[in-house]
Amino acid sequence: MHAIVVSATGGPEVLTYTDCPDPELNPGEVLVDIAASGVNFIDVYHRMGRYPLSLPFIPGSEAAGTVVAVGEDVRGISVGATVAWANVMGSYAERAVVPASHLLVVPDGVTADIAAALLLQGMTAHYLTHSTYEVKPGDDVLVHAAAGGVGLLLTQIAKLRGARVIGTVSTQEKEKLARQAGADEVIRYGGFSEAVRELAGSGVHVVYDGVGAATFEGSITSLRPRGMMALYGQASGPVPPVDPQILASNGSLFLTRPTLAHYIATRDELAWRAGDLFGWVASGQLQVHISHRYPLAEAVRAHEDLEARRTTGKILLIP
């Protein structure tokens, strides 16, 4: 099979299109022909070595495809089924072996490419709005990068929960996408904290920040007293060391740095979050915006475009 292999960490150029042996199927695992693989910023962090992995490795932690074989002790998943997964490495490939415990059978009404585009970012948006800070009707919510993959889903899910959403974007095209997703107000990054105060008076109840260093300080000052700062990513780079006293001086704030793995730690939680997402997509309540599909061999270009902010919504690799 062909796969993307990283043998040394670095820029997009280290993503090498390689002929590899087919993965071996073990008990409790499922062999899948991949139809589409999701591209996420965590793949960039792995490639750069910011989140270190043993070398060499096949990047990618989200995909969907067709089951071609099942290992011993696997129940409830049959050959020919369409399945999807997130938070399992090795999806930048034509085939993958995935633990059955991490697989989700894709229901009717959801295509494989939508499933591949949905799970990692969708479950991130789900845990942020349902668990990290449980959004309530009437809450004011600030969503950074509101036209990005997580941002568009966060906006829609927060609206489903009755919030007023303020989104930040960098261009007029991205503003249009954020408004189509339901954002009530859309602002630019420059001076966003002051703009939020004009719109939300004492500040927002929660900030969902996947940008990191470039927005952190303004995000803190956008919050109302006892507000929540959910820093779930660092697309602009890691946040420098912070004196916790800024939380007190800005209104006894809460700061958390969550990650998906801890919010799908059990099979029940994984099934709950994915089930909600699949149901919303099938019913038309949640739209998944796929802006670019790249051949697997063009993973370098996909990463270049992602890091240069030339994409919106979700981007996929197609074997």
Side-chain angles (χ1 to χ4, degrees):
M1 71 169 189
H2 289 101
I4 299 297
V5 176
V6 174
S7 298
T9 57
E13 70 280 357
V14 304
L15 299 168
T16 305
Y17 187 64
T18 306
D19 193 6
C20 300
D22 276 3
E24 296 184 3
L25 185 63
N26 297 306
E29 295 178 336
V30 175
L31 178 63
V32 182
D33 273 341
I34 294 176
S37 302
V39 178
N40 298 283
F41 260 102
I42 194 170
D43 306 340
V44 174
Y45 306 152
H46 288 151
R47 187 205 75 216
M48 295 172 64
R50 190 174 292 170
Y51 297 169
L53 297 172
S54 298
L55 296 167
F57 65 88
I58 296 173
S61 55
E62 171 187 48
T66 303
V67 174
V68 293
V70 297
E72 296 177 16
D73 303 324
V74 173
R75 303 287 182 269
I77 299 174
S78 57
V79 172
T82 300
V83 294
W85 66 93
N87 251 35
V88 179
M89 289 294 297
S91 70
Y92 284 18
E94 293 176 331
R95 284 189 160 188
V97 164
V98 184
S101 59
H102 290 70
L103 280 177
L104 296 149
V105 176
V106 178
D108 293 341
V110 180
T111 63
D113 62 340
I114 292 295
L118 174 66
L119 281 183
L120 193 147
Q121 293 178 335
M123 289 195 295
T124 297
H126 191 286
Y127 83 68
L128 287 170
T129 54
H130 286 66
S131 301
T132 301
Y133 176 88
E134 189 174 352
V135 174
K136 300 173 292 299
D139 281 351
D140 287 316
V141 172
L142 176 60
V143 175
H144 282 306
V150 176
L152 288 172
L153 297 170
L154 260 175
T155 297
Q156 293 177 78
I157 294 172
K159 291 301 297 179
L160 286 174
R161 294 185 68 84
R164 180 172 74 134
V165 175
I166 302 169
T168 56
V169 299
S170 58
T171 68
Q172 188 172 353
E173 175 194 4
K174 291 181 178 181
E175 177 177 346
K176 182 179 179 181
L177 286 171
R179 291 193 184 280
Q180 288 173 348
D184 298 278
E185 307 287 350
V186 182
I187 58 179
R188 299 296 190 266
Y189 289 101
F192 74 84
S193 181
E194 292 80 6
V196 167
R197 289 289 180 168
E198 291 179 6
L199 293 167
S202 59
V204 295
H205 293 82
V206 61
V207 178
Y208 294 123
D209 190 337
V211 177
T215 52
F216 181 82
E217 184 176 344
S219 293
I220 289 291
T221 56
S222 295
L223 287 163
R224 67 177 53 204
R226 291 162 58 180
M228 167 73 77
M229 166 68 162
L231 181 70
Y232 69 90
Q234 51 188 37
S236 68
V239 175
V242 172
D243 181 354
Q245 179 61 28
I246 68 168
L247 304 177
S249 60
N250 281 280
S252 296
L253 305 179
F254 296 88
L255 169 63
T256 183
R257 179 57 174 92
T259 190
L260 177 60
H262 298 136
Y263 286 88
I264 53 170
T266 67
R267 180 69 192 185
D268 285 347
E269 199 166 29
L270 173 66
W272 167 43
R273 301 196 193 282
D276 279 357
L277 293 168
F278 285 145
W280 291 329
V281 169
S283 67
Q285 293 177 280
L286 185 67
Q287 303 297 318
V288 180
H289 176 72
I290 301 172
S291 64
H292 292 73
R293 292 174 171 84
Y294 302 84
L296 178 64
E298 296 183 16
V300 169
R301 185 162 67 93
H303 274 227
E304 289 173 343
D305 289 349
L306 179 66
E307 291 181 84
R309 306 299 176 88
R310 290 191 288 265
T311 64
T312 56
K314 190 69 178 189
I315 63 177
L316 297 177
L317 295 176
I318 308 299

